[in-house]
Amino acid sequence: MTAAALVATTSAALPASADAAGGPVTHKQNDRVPEGAAWTQHYFPSSDGSKVELHADVLLPENLPKGQKVPVILSVGAYFGHSGQMDVEGFKKTGPSARFNDLIEGAGLFKRGYALVLVDVRGFGGSTGCLDFVGPGEQADVKAAIDWAAKQPWSTGAVGMYGKSFDAITGLVGNNLNQDALKAVVAMEPMWDPYRNFSSGGVPRTTRVNVSNTYNKIATLPQLPDDDPRYLANAKYEQKHPECAATNMFGYQTGDPQAAYWKTRDLAERAKGSDTPLFVTQGFLEWNTEAEAMEEYLGNHKGPQRAWLGPWDHKRGNDRTADGRLEMGREGWFEETMSFFDQYLKGVKPTTDYPAVSIQDSTGKWRAQDTWPVTDRSAAIRLGGGSYLDDGAEEKVTDKNTFVKWSKPLTQATRVTGTPRLSFDSEQHGNVMVKLYDVAPDGTAVMFDEQVSLVDAGRTELELKSTDWTLAKGHSLAVEIGTVQPAGDWLDTPTRNTIKVTDARLDLDLDDPADDTATEGERAPYLDTYLKSWTKKLRPGSPAFTLPAVKS
């Protein structure tokens, strides 16, 4: 049977139960179906010529007139299994995932005339195949999902992708594929380059093990007995293919960043020349999908960009704390998201002039910018040298296993933005950790950026995480260089070598906050949590450098 025939014969609507008869299922028939929606299930092949079969849950407006077409909001990922997102959730009957019911309800998605399509990537939910996180197989699945959603009889052919975390990453994949049908991507807290999330300058992180274990578990979750027989058969794929879990686990252990395994997954590099309109969020204090390779990705992307950026962790734009405060601190997530989709999927001119970039810095204040980062001055700061014992701080952090370089107190408020970079020479092999501190005159210090790397003989160069941190007038910048400390999630192997550092240079992008353009928003609650956790006292040392003035 040809692929075309397979699509034609397997896209028929299926009911919520294992009974093969019947049509779309509504909320009245199954309370797991969102109100106002009609739910069907579908199967279609991936685009790589393999035998992988993908599963989609389709939610259309319940009373969509026959022949009327709607644009599609598509999400592609691992969390749409009918028995639960990351674990079995105790449902009594099958139904579509509630992962984006907040979008459905908060945006009034079906009343606005949109379809929502949830596609399981290979290895998850009702799709067959071995999981292939961000790899060629998963990229082929994203391509197939976009094409399939665009070609359905109820689709206008205009597709927008939406997601957070995993299904935000697949949105970045979609952008990189340059599919004509993909008109816009909304990606909350994505991973910009998997290698840099799993290893830092060659030093492995716990995510190498934790992430593969997490997704191997999700891929093998039991599904509900009343589901479609085809769905249940596909969900058992891993039981017949135990090599899937092993291949996934071993792939993460690939150490060489230049290996084909990682190069095919380098989303930032592969974004070159892409131009799908992109709306992203990124927490600069993220502990999950950190701001690594973010600036590179956005620089390589040439299409329209929209962003919410600030000092939060792994949250959605609409998430709230237990006491009702918005986690990001800014109202209007769904309004701005749907304005973005309306513009690029329907051709509707926005009625609100949203900033291209809405950003909150470490003071908790929001500002509007045309792009990110905005730099008034780039500085190449000579730090000189020092030495440290690469002992992993097994007993404690001391002046033997770290050294610190201090700036003179600042004569004006100065924002460190973009992606700081450090480089130095050494003749030894080992590990290095670099931390940037904002230090008040009384020695109260907050670590606001960090990174680690392997050290080889010669020149070591590393990028820290992207940041947006304002140093107050009178404060100092402290740069700590030393062994990898145990508080993080790095799996370093201390060499016990004394690393002699020479010709250290810190490259910073600096911005003058005096010319900020204020925009609406409150302080992100996580900022205070972070400050409480990462504030300590440092004993000020003699200044070794001056941070240049940034009067704009």
Side-chain angles (χ1 to χ4, degrees), residues 344-388:
Y344 292 110
L345 274 66
K346 292 183 175 181
V348 176
K349 185 177 180 180
T351 57
T352 300
D353 186 17
Y354 294 105
V357 177
S358 300
I359 183 168
Q360 179 186 170
D361 74 358
S362 57
T363 68
K365 295 179 180 178
W366 286 83
R367 67 186 191 275
Q369 294 183 174
D370 293 332
T371 188
W372 182 90
V374 169
T375 303
D376 288 324
R377 181 168 184 171
S378 295
I381 300 167
R382 298 291 179 179
L383 299 177
S387 65
Y388 63 91

Side-chain angles (χ1 to χ4, degrees), residues 11-29:
S11 292
L14 294 167
S17 71
D19 183 359
V25 176
T26 66
H27 181 76
K28 289 181 180 179
Q29 298 163 293

Side-chain angles (χ1 to χ4, degrees), residues 462-486:
L462 64 154
E463 285 188 352
L464 282 75
K465 300 167 187 175
S466 293
T467 188
D468 202 80
W469 193 276
T470 298
L471 306 169
K473 180 180 178 180
H475 283 215
S476 298
L477 174 66
V479 183
E480 182 180 82
I481 301 173
T483 192
V484 179
Q485 299 169 24

Side-chain angles (χ1 to χ4, degrees), residues 88-109:
V88 172
E89 296 178 16
F91 296 116
K92 301 300 183 183
K93 57 187 173 184
T94 193
S97 172
R99 179 164 173 78
F100 292 119
N101 281 8
D102 58 347
L103 172 68
I104 292 170
E105 297 165 6
L109 201 65

Side-chain angles (χ1 to χ4, degrees), residues 246-420:
T247 300
N248 182 53
M249 180 180 66
F250 290 135
Y252 282 57
Q253 308 307 314
T254 304
D256 181 7
Q258 300 304 314
Y261 182 88
W262 293 120
K263 296 302 287 184
T264 58
R265 292 164 168 79
D266 188 346
L267 300 182
E269 171 67 22
R270 296 170 77 88
K272 284 183 177 177
S274 62
D275 61 2
T276 308
L278 187 62
F279 185 178
V280 303
T281 74
Q282 177 65 62
F284 291 121
L285 304 181
E286 262 276 17
W287 47 264
N288 187 330
T289 52
E290 290 95 337
E292 295 170 301
M294 169 192 175
E295 186 175 356
E296 179 184 345
Y297 189 104
L298 296 178
N300 285 339
H301 173 259
K302 302 307 178 185
Q305 293 180 4
R306 184 83 60 82
W308 285 18
L309 311 175
W312 49 77
D313 58 343
H314 204 59
K315 295 295 188 292
R316 302 185 186 198
N318 58 292
D319 279 349
R320 292 182 181 271
T321 62
D323 60 3
R325 292 173 295 161
L326 283 161
E327 293 280 11
M328 292 187 185
R330 184 171 168 85
E331 295 277 0
W333 171 253
F334 290 127
E335 290 82 356
E336 187 167 348
T337 293
M338 296 314 299
S339 173
F340 189 76
F341 280 140
D342 285 349
Q343 178 179 359
Y344 292 110
L345 274 66
K346 292 183 175 181
V348 176
K349 185 177 180 180
T351 57
T352 300
D353 186 17
Y354 294 105
V357 177
S358 300
I359 183 168
Q360 179 186 170
D361 74 358
S362 57
T363 68
K365 295 179 180 178
W366 286 83
R367 67 186 191 275
Q369 294 183 174
D370 293 332
T371 188
W372 182 90
V374 169
T375 303
D376 288 324
R377 181 168 184 171
S378 295
I381 300 167
R382 298 291 179 179
L383 299 177
S387 65
Y388 63 91
L389 177 63
D390 180 27
D391 64 355
E394 294 164 347
E395 296 182 4
K396 61 180 181 178
V397 178
T398 69
D399 56 8
K400 292 183 179 180
N401 52 33
T402 62
F403 66 92
V404 182
K405 298 291 184 177
W406 294 79
S407 77
K408 292 181 179 178
L410 276 64
T411 58
Q412 66 172 109
T414 301
R415 179 177 296 124
V416 178
T417 190
T419 309

